[in-house]
Amino acid sequence: MNMHNPPHPGEFISGIYLEPNNISGRELAKALGVAASTLSRVLSGTSRVTPEMALRLSKALGRSPESWLAMQDAHDLWIARQYVDLQSVDELQFTVA
């Protein structure tokens, strides 16, 4: 099932973890062991959650690393579907061996 406009993980982190608990991005960056600017790019949606960041988020916030990466992939795929024109892509036909 496809989601409609799935959130970027940064938006999810801000809305579910940071804002309700009055935790700043700097506090989370320190807990993650990353530069505040690095986390800021994730929180603003201008950077992706990488496998390394997924491991860090998993330890600091919970959820599995796979779930953080799946959230990022769902968001990226939704964005791609808005812009990629598949009209010129041909489907290959395979013979059964």
Side-chain angles (χ1 to χ4, degrees):
M1 175 185 282
N2 293 330
M3 288 182 66
H4 175 71
N5 193 10
H8 185 278
E11 179 183 345
F12 181 82
I13 291 166
S14 293
I16 299 298
Y17 295 100
L18 301 185
E19 292 165 8
N21 295 292
N22 293 318
I23 298 171
S24 71
R26 287 194 180 277
E27 289 176 271
L28 178 56
K30 183 177 179 184
L32 294 171
V34 299
S37 60
T38 298
L39 180 62
S40 178
R41 287 189 298 274
V42 171
L43 295 178
S44 69
T46 58
S47 286
R48 301 183 80 250
V49 169
T50 63
E52 179 184 328
M53 182 63 80
L55 290 169
R56 292 172 185 271
L57 290 168
S58 178
K59 183 167 183 187
L61 301 177
R63 303 175 58 97
S64 70
E66 292 84 2
S67 72
W68 290 111
L69 292 173
M71 187 181 299
Q72 182 67 62
D73 285 345
H75 174 76
D76 291 349
L77 186 56
W78 187 85
I79 295 293
R81 283 187 170 131
Q82 310 311 304
Y83 299 103
V84 175
D85 180 9
L86 298 176
Q87 296 284 8
S88 64
V89 177
D90 295 326
E91 187 176 337
L92 292 176
Q93 300 298 316
F94 299 99
T95 57
V96 179

